[in-house]
């Protein structure tokens, strides 16, 4: 009997540009499976996220992560292509060393691309924190996160290649990749500090999106130049 | 990340593209008809990529994104290998590794009438053609070609079926013959059926040949032509 659940590629996404960063998250994408969930409209595809912590029972924090991830992925997901289907994304935390949610978002996005689910763009996530002395650091470790008075998780769309300059059109004078998909903040910071975090986050996400593009290109099959029969 | 014209390539054909990339600008192409294949979407005047992969172009006007996945999106006129899951009064339900089950009408066989409806057990492997594939509807399948003849479609007996990615299935069906099949065919005799949905069926006189062929095909996906031939030689040496 054929199994209905087709498993996609599982992707590792080690987080952190720094050598000490070792948050590891495993993301798996299943679907699209026939049938949508009870409260979802059958006229579009729905996406569901399951968050599995490294240890312990599933509680409110996990539900919050699931909700944030669902909303983020829904904004890059093209829901009109396969109506009445559900795509499941399962996140398994292997090791948490700070910036867990951005790492999970990057992993989920890479898994969706690998599975061939149609997307509007890629989502690139970064964590910016403000230390007590007022300086901004990216990708803090767990200990730094606990000591910081405030930090923010920011998700941007990726920078896209375009054939001609000027496309895609600038929205209100700014390129599309400066738009922000998700922002989750913890602690208290001033408005100026938040805008500083946004600027740093944009620069970092541009670099992350280059890295993502290069790695995804390498993981695909080599270019067999054969005529289609 | 908005560099000026130096970083804008004139064309992205044969480049690897990611979702969100704009690959064609329609303002300069007012009077042409374009055919867009999988992975592309039109938004106002631009063609935007939705699936990551290599952007391909074929004259005169066909564009598509080529990528390899483990799941299959049904397309019209594809030949696929399906497994019967259930049978209803009017059609069989067949699993073709897509988002929904396919329907195979009970009369879609050569010379099929209500009196000689074939009986397939659950789990039968069928070689089928996709007749209709619209989003939101179950795809419709058929065991005849477009003219109504059976021509090799229908149930498949014996042998061994394994799953692969869609990219590997396309590689096995490409012209000229894929190097691994070429090398295997020179030394061994076997039968093979490839479904574009990522399923491959192999049959040979002895089980060891079947296993050898299946393993060679599965390992050959990411190798170049020369490497595939070397792989086949090594496997054959081990057997003999």
């Amino acid at each position: 009997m054929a199994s209905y659940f087709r498993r996609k590629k599982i992707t590792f996404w080690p987080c952190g540009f720094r050598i000490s960063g070792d948050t590891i998250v495993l993301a798996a994408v299943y679907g699209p499976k026939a049938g949508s969930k009870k409260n979802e409209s059958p006229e579009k595809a729905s996406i569901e996220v399951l968050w599995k912590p490294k240890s312990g029972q599933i509680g409110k924090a996990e539900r919050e992560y699931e909700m944030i991830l669902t909303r983020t992925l829904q904004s890059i997901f093209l829901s009109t292509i396969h109506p009445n289907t559900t795509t499941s994304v399962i996140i398994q935390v292997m090791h948490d060393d700070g910036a867990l949610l951005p790492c999970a978002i990057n992993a989920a996005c890479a898994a969706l691309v690998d599975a061939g689910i149609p997307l509007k763009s890629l989502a690139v996530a970064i964590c910016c924190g403000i230390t007590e002395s007022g300086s901004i650091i990216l990708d803090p470790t767990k200990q730094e996160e606990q000591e910081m008075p405030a930090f923010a998780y920011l998700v941007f769309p990726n920078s896209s290649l375009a054939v001609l300059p000027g496309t895609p059109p600038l929205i209100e004078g700014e390129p599309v990749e400066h738009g922000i998909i998700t922002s989750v903040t913890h602690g208290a910071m001033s408005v100026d500090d938040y805008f500083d975090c946004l600027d740093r986050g944009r620069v970092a996400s541009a670099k992350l999106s280059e890295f993502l593009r290069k790695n995804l290109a390498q993981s695909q099959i080599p270019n067999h130049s054969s005529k289609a029969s | 990340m908005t560099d000026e014209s130096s970083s804008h390539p004139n064309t992205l054909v044969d480049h690897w593209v990611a979702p969100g990339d704009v690959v064609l600008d329609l303002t300069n192409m007012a009077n042409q008809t374009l055919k867009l294949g999988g992975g592309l979407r039109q938004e106002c005047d631009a063609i935007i990529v939705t699936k990551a992969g290599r952007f391909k172009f074929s004259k005169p006007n066909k564009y598509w994104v080529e990528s390899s996945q483990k799941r299959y999106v049904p397309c019209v006129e594809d030949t696929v290998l399906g497994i019967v899951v259930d049978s209803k009064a009017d059609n069989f339900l067949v699993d073709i590794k897509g988002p929904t089950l396919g329907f195979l009408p009970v009369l879609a066989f050569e010379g099929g009438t209500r009196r000689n409806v074939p009986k397939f057990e659950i789990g039968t492997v069928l070689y089928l053609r996709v007749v209709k594939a619209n989003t939101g509807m179950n795809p419709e399948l058929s065991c005849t070609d477009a003219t109504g003849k059976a021509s090799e479609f229908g149930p498949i007996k014996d042998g061994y079926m394994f799953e692969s990615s869609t990219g590997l299935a396309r590689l096995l069906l490409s012209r000229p013959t894929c190097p691994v099949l070429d090398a295997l065919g020179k030394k061994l005799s076997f039968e093979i059926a490839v479904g574009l949905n990522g399923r491959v069926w192999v049959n040979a006189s002895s089980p060891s040949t079947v296993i050898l062929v299946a393993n060679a095909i599965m390992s050959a996906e990411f190798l170049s032509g020369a490497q595939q031939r070397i792989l086949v030689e090594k496997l054959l040496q081990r057997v003999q």
Side-chain angles (χ1 to χ4, degrees):
Chain A
M1 178 88 152
S3 150
Y4 292 166
F5 299 107
R6 285 159 282 281
R7 191 137 154 259
K8 307 309 153 226
K9 173 103 173 278
I10 300 186
T11 323
F12 267 105
W13 194 269
C15 179
F17 297 107
R18 292 153 42 171
I19 303 169
S20 58
D22 49 8
T23 306
I24 304 182
V25 165
L26 201 66
V29 169
Y30 288 59
K33 297 179 280 195
S36 50
K37 298 188 300 190
K38 282 183 208 160
N39 297 332
E40 298 281 344
S41 149
E43 287 166 31
K44 54 183 180 128
S46 52
I47 194 164
E48 67 169 349
V49 176
L50 283 170
W51 182 285
K52 308 218 169 166
K54 184 171 173 191
S55 60
Q57 292 199 330
I58 299 187
K60 292 185 207 154
E62 282 74 35
R63 292 268 172 261
E64 187 185 351
Y65 286 145
E66 280 176 16
M67 188 204 72
I68 297 175
L69 212 64
T70 314
R71 297 262 192 91
T72 307
L73 293 177
Q74 256 165 7
S75 68
I76 55 168
F77 185 60
L78 276 166
S79 59
T80 48
I81 293 196
H82 290 291
N84 201 23
T85 56
T86 306
T87 305
S88 309
V89 180
I90 310 215
I91 306 280
Q92 169 71 59
V93 178
M94 309 278 286
H95 186 75
D96 179 8
D97 192 29
L100 181 60
L101 193 59
C103 188
I105 293 176
N106 288 330
C109 191
L112 283 172
V113 168
D114 196 63
I117 311 276
L119 300 172
K120 285 181 206 155
S121 72
L122 298 176
V124 175
I126 194 89
C127 174
C128 301
I130 305 201
T131 59
E132 280 160 8
S133 52
S135 51
I136 296 182
I137 55 173
L138 299 175
D139 270 338
T141 61
K142 195 162 186 69
Q143 195 187 11
E144 286 168 348
E145 246 181 24
Q146 278 161 354
E147 289 166 4
M148 281 193 292
F151 57 89
Y153 299 137
L154 303 166
V155 185
F156 299 99
N158 72 327
S159 9
S160 47
L161 291 181
V163 177
L164 297 172
T167 56
L170 307 179
I171 297 179
E172 290 177 16
E174 291 195 56
V176 172
E177 55 258 19
H178 282 196
I180 191 166
I181 297 180
T182 303
S183 156
V184 182
T185 54
H186 285 252
M189 59 172 100
S190 71
V191 176
D192 289 329
D193 279 340
Y194 182 65
F195 285 131
D196 271 342
C197 278
L198 278 183
D199 287 333
R200 300 263 190 302
R202 282 194 188 115
V203 171
S205 79
K207 292 211 160 40
L208 251 184
S209 101
E210 280 293 304
F211 174 70
L212 182 60
R213 184 183 283 272
K214 205 169 58 159
N215 276 308
L216 287 173
Q218 277 171 5
S219 72
Q220 293 278 322
I221 52 173
N223 192 7
H224 291 276
S225 52
S226 52
K227 282 196 306 204
S229 59
Chain B
M1 229 336 247
T2 48
D3 299 339
E4 291 311 317
S5 52
S6 56
S7 79
H8 288 283
N10 273 337
T11 168
L12 286 168
V13 175
D14 275 342
H15 271 88
W16 194 88
V17 290
D21 288 348
V22 178
V23 289
L24 287 176
D25 187 25
L26 296 180
T27 51
N28 297 335
M29 298 180 166
N31 284 332
Q32 298 176 19
T33 314
L34 295 178
K35 291 190 184 172
L36 297 181
L40 295 172
R41 191 176 159 78
Q42 179 183 3
E43 298 213 355
C44 306
D45 261 348
I47 306 284
I48 302 195
V49 174
T50 57
K51 265 196 214 180
R54 224 167 256 284
F55 183 55
K56 293 282 213 194
F57 169 63
S58 144
K59 290 191 185 161
N61 55 1
K62 296 186 197 157
Y63 293 94
W64 73 96
V65 176
E66 202 166 273
S67 56
S68 171
Q69 262 85 46
K70 285 186 188 166
R71 79 176 169 118
Y72 167 65
V73 177
C75 291
V76 185
E77 292 305 316
D78 273 357
T79 50
V80 297
L81 280 170
I83 301 181
V84 175
V85 165
D86 201 0
S87 61
K88 297 274 165 81
D90 278 339
N91 39 35
F92 297 103
L93 300 180
V94 182
D95 165 43
I96 51 173
K97 275 176 89 172
T100 47
L101 293 176
F103 288 166
L104 171 64
V106 147
L107 301 175
F109 296 86
E110 186 176 0
T113 60
R114 276 276 162 203
R115 293 195 176 198
N116 54 357
V117 166
K119 292 199 179 70
F120 294 134
E121 286 181 5
I122 295 183
T124 313
V125 176
L126 302 167
Y127 188 60
L128 305 155
R129 180 177 65 99
V130 178
V131 173
K132 280 192 211 160
N134 299 321
T135 56
M137 291 164 48
N138 299 65
E140 195 179 296
L141 309 163
S142 165
C143 267
T144 66
D145 65 11
T147 59
K149 298 275 186 337
S151 86
E152 313 290 337
F153 292 111
I156 292 191
K157 299 194 190 64
D158 304 327
Y160 168 60
M161 187 175 75
F162 58 94
E163 312 227 322
S164 73
S165 67
T166 52
L168 178 60
R170 282 196 304 265
L171 182 67
L172 291 172
L173 287 171
S174 58
R175 301 256 176 287
T177 320
C178 169
V180 70
L181 287 180
D182 203 27
L184 285 169
K186 286 191 179 138
K187 297 284 170 55
L188 304 166
S189 79
F190 58 94
E191 256 188 290
I192 183 170
V194 179
L196 282 164
N197 56 339
R199 286 199 173 128
V200 182
W201 172 87
V202 180
N203 192 14
S205 45
S206 74
S208 56
T209 318
V210 172
I211 295 175
L212 195 147
V213 171
N215 284 342
I217 292 175
M218 283 194 270
S219 326
E221 182 171 0
F222 296 106
L223 303 178
S224 69
Q227 285 170 326
Q228 287 174 14
R229 283 179 223 277
I230 298 175
L231 164 78
V232 171
E233 270 174 37
K234 281 202 192 138
L235 283 174
L236 289 171
Q237 270 168 10
R238 253 194 258 162
V239 170
Q240 280 140 14

